[in-house]
């Protein structure tokens, strides 16, 4: 797609600062693992697969600069507690003789994984399909074409997509800001709706598929993803619309038995009370701002990985890939 | 509550301009029905019962100034197509010999209706209750204490409320801006959550009651209310939480058999793509922005009016009140 928001160049990690999109393209030049950690924590780079890749390069930076590698690994892992990709990518790079080569290999693997996810996922898309999705799951969230948005792109390329429907995804509006930006660039037909309008869209406009990304998939298929995903699954369930999750194997955490054991990050209240720096709430307004929710496996009709389309009952307790333990 | 956002003073209608809340208090001085219509259309005043009251005064202004009364009635009715209160209030005032006296009587009636709704609705609130609600349903939406927020206020006064949970209510953020502002003034404990977090709140934090306002209740109980209400009802249904609607009889439209016949207003895309004047979407981003959805009667466990608590099956085809035909 020509959009590479994480790039290794001249011994530094260039990170497209997504906080300023779609207004302007600003890049962070990270020369230390701490700078990478800050970019992840502050969500300059986000999306579970992409922060896995960024953290991998961050650990490579630590090795090159002779920093305390254990501290770097811990510091990078602690930036975002929910995404499985982060700790798994760090574990791979920590074991490697050449951490930079390993980070680059991992980056390329994830790019190919997303291509495969797009192909497999598109098989779930019927002709003339209306497909709903939430958050940002394209090239700004995962290498290459992305996960759920990669499926939508592939379905569009195959001529099967009537329209994508993007939930705006409060509080940070990744759907409205980032997914919309990517689809406008690609000329894929879409509309954005407020998160609360998804059930009503299904009632009045109809939907053929809901597909989302994931931040962590437990061994039993329970899936942590952007807050609002679970409500979207409830609506899909009410209307008998297939609800699918698209994620690379790196997002599957076979050591976490169920969603109950997935730690859910709470983000600062200012994400809700301020929008692009502008106050939208009365002073002192208390807020609950979990970044993710967990959709129980019984609501998930399909899980699409680079390995193919998985159907329930899910059992990911065994390793799925030689590269992802 | 000391907050009277619609006031008849010196032959003019003073309207608190809610578009600027909570930042500042600005008042519109309407001397013509056209100014009242504009205030309603642009949502300077909103909330189905309150726009009914404002429109009633608007028609009184038309009579006083010798304007074409049929045109005024039509013009005021067309500002917001979904709220039942608008056309019903206009019908009452149009029939009256003294339209101003009728508007004032209607205003006072609605104030008392909200007091009664608060009392009846509080009977649905158990001890130490967590109560979820959406949109703005207090004094900024209905005369006096409001509808759903009036129930929450009354439950708090009776010592039964542990916490109110306010959905922020995109796109216009009436929950975050207006309901939060009212509850901060009153010292009622609450938190605001993104709309997409309601189902997850029920899962992790628990809820005892969901109560919302209404813009139009059909004869069979199907209820049009702020977009996101239906998704909230689906979540309540999933968790076995009582879902109740609080509205004065003026909101019940016994001539509309079911929700399928309720016209749903679509609002401009800028409500979604701009927040308080700041662009939050890429240029040219297409949007679907229905202002309301319809929650089917089977999801509504109780409907609270000034007459009491109604249980399913609902049948409002007969007149409920001598003053509201």
């Amino acid at each position: 797609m020509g959009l590479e928001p994480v790039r290794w160049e001249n011994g530094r990690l260039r990170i497209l600062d997504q906080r300023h999109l779609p207004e302007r393209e600003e890049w962070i030049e990270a020369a230390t693992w701490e700078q990478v950690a800050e970019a992840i924590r502050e969500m300059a780079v986000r999306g579970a697969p992409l922060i896995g890749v960024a953290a991998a390069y961050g650990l490579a930076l630590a090795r090159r600069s002779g920093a305390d590698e254990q501290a770097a690994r811990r510091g990078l892992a602690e930036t975002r507690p929910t995404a499985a990709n982060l700790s798994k990518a760090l574990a791979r790079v920590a074991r490697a003789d050449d951490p930079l080569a390993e980070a680059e290999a991992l980056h390329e693997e994830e790019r190919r994984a997303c291509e495969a996810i797009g192909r497999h996922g598109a098989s779930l898309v019927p002709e003339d399909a209306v497909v709903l999705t939430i958050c940002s799951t394209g090239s700004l969230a995962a290498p290459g074409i992305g996960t759920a948005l990669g499926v939508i792109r592939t379905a569009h390329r195959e001529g099967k997509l009537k329209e994508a429907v993007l939930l705006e995804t409060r509080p940070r509006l990744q759907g409205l800001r980032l997914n919309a930006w990517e689809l406008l660039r690609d000329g894929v037909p879409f509309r954005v709706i407020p998160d609360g309008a998804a059930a009503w869209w299904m009632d009045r406009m109809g939907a053929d598929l809901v597909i989302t990304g994931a931040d962590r998939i437990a061994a039993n298929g329970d899936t942590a993803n952007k807050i609002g995903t679970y409500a979207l699954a409830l609506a899909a369930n009410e209307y008998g619309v297939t609800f699918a999750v698209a994620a690379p194997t790196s997002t599957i955490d076979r050591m976490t038995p169920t969603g109950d054991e997935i730690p859910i990050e709470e983000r600062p209240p200012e994400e809700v009370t301020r929008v692009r720096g502008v106050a939208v709430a009365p002073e002192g307004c208390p807020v609950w701002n979990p970044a993710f929710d967990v959709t129980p496996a019984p609501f998930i009709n399909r899980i699409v990985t680079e390995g193919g389309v998985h159907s329930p009952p899910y059992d990911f307790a065994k390793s799925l890939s030689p590269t992802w333990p």
Side-chain angles (χ1 to χ4, degrees), chain A:
Chain A
M1 296 287 120
L3 191 65
E4 283 181 60
V6 171
R7 302 176 187 177
W8 182 262
E9 279 175 20
N10 306 320
R12 293 172 176 232
L13 191 63
R14 297 191 74 213
I15 297 172
L16 177 58
D17 191 340
Q18 301 187 23
R19 293 171 296 181
H20 304 302
L21 292 177
E23 286 78 21
R24 58 185 196 277
E25 259 186 50
E26 262 182 44
W27 291 80
I28 292 166
E29 307 270 342
T32 67
W33 74 262
E34 289 94 339
Q35 289 172 303
V36 176
E38 196 197 336
I40 297 172
R41 190 169 35 243
E42 300 301 326
M43 295 178 69
V45 56
R46 33 132 322 271
L50 200 58
I51 63 177
V53 169
Y57 283 115
L59 196 52
L61 277 172
R63 177 91 58 98
R64 285 163 72 95
S65 65
D68 177 343
E69 232 174 290
Q70 283 312 312
R73 184 174 167 183
R74 214 170 33 242
L76 286 160
E78 283 170 354
T79 50
R80 305 287 312 272
T82 304
N85 315 58
L86 203 54
S87 54
K88 290 177 74 176
L90 289 165
R92 266 184 63 171
V93 173
R95 275 196 311 273
D97 292 332
D98 181 345
L100 179 59
E102 186 71 16
E104 287 180 326
L106 188 158
H107 194 172
E108 179 56 26
E109 255 177 56
E110 292 288 70
R111 191 180 291 118
R112 287 199 310 265
C114 287
E115 288 290 337
I117 289 167
R119 277 196 311 277
H120 296 312
S123 72
L124 300 174
V125 181
E127 292 296 322
D128 204 35
V130 173
V131 181
L132 271 70
T133 192
I134 186 170
C135 200
S136 152
T137 56
S139 310
L140 294 168
I145 61 172
T147 56
L149 208 68
V151 172
I152 287 169
R153 284 180 157 129
T154 306
H156 174 67
R157 208 165 47 222
E158 294 176 0
K160 297 196 292 189
L161 186 78
K162 181 180 174 195
E163 183 176 22
V165 179
L166 312 180
L167 272 64
E168 63 169 1
T169 317
R170 277 281 286 161
R172 292 181 75 104
L173 298 169
Q174 291 97 330
L176 179 60
R177 290 170 45 232
L178 306 179
N179 255 3
W181 185 68
E182 289 199 43
L183 291 192
L184 277 171
R185 283 167 57 113
D186 284 8
V188 175
F190 74 94
R191 270 184 277 186
V192 176
I193 63 172
D195 303 325
W200 186 237
W201 175 284
M202 291 185 202
D203 191 278
R204 288 294 155 117
M205 314 291 270
D208 301 292
L209 177 70
V210 176
I211 191 154
T212 78
D215 289 81
R216 188 186 303 212
I217 301 172
N220 74 340
D222 290 352
T223 295
N225 191 48
K226 180 55 54 197
I227 189 75
T229 302
Y230 175 37
L232 184 56
L234 286 178
N237 185 63
E238 179 66 24
Y239 285 92
V241 176
T242 299
F243 182 90
V245 167
T249 301
S250 55
T251 306
I252 296 175
D253 178 7
R254 62 191 185 86
M255 308 303 283
T256 296
T258 77
D260 288 341
E261 290 84 35
I262 299 176
I264 300 295
E265 177 186 7
E266 291 202 22
R267 304 274 312 169
E270 289 74 24
E271 289 190 346
V272 175
T273 60
R274 303 184 75 83
V275 175
R276 298 193 88 57
V278 179
V280 288
E283 190 78 25
C285 178
V287 162
W288 187 60
N289 184 25
F292 307 99
D293 57 28
V294 176
T295 301
F299 290 98
I300 303 172
N301 303 108
R302 298 288 183 271
I303 295 178
V304 185
T305 70
E306 68 273 30
V309 176
H310 305 261
S311 296
Y314 308 107
D315 180 7
F316 299 126
K318 286 199 261 333
S319 182
L320 294 170
S321 149
T323 48
W324 291 108

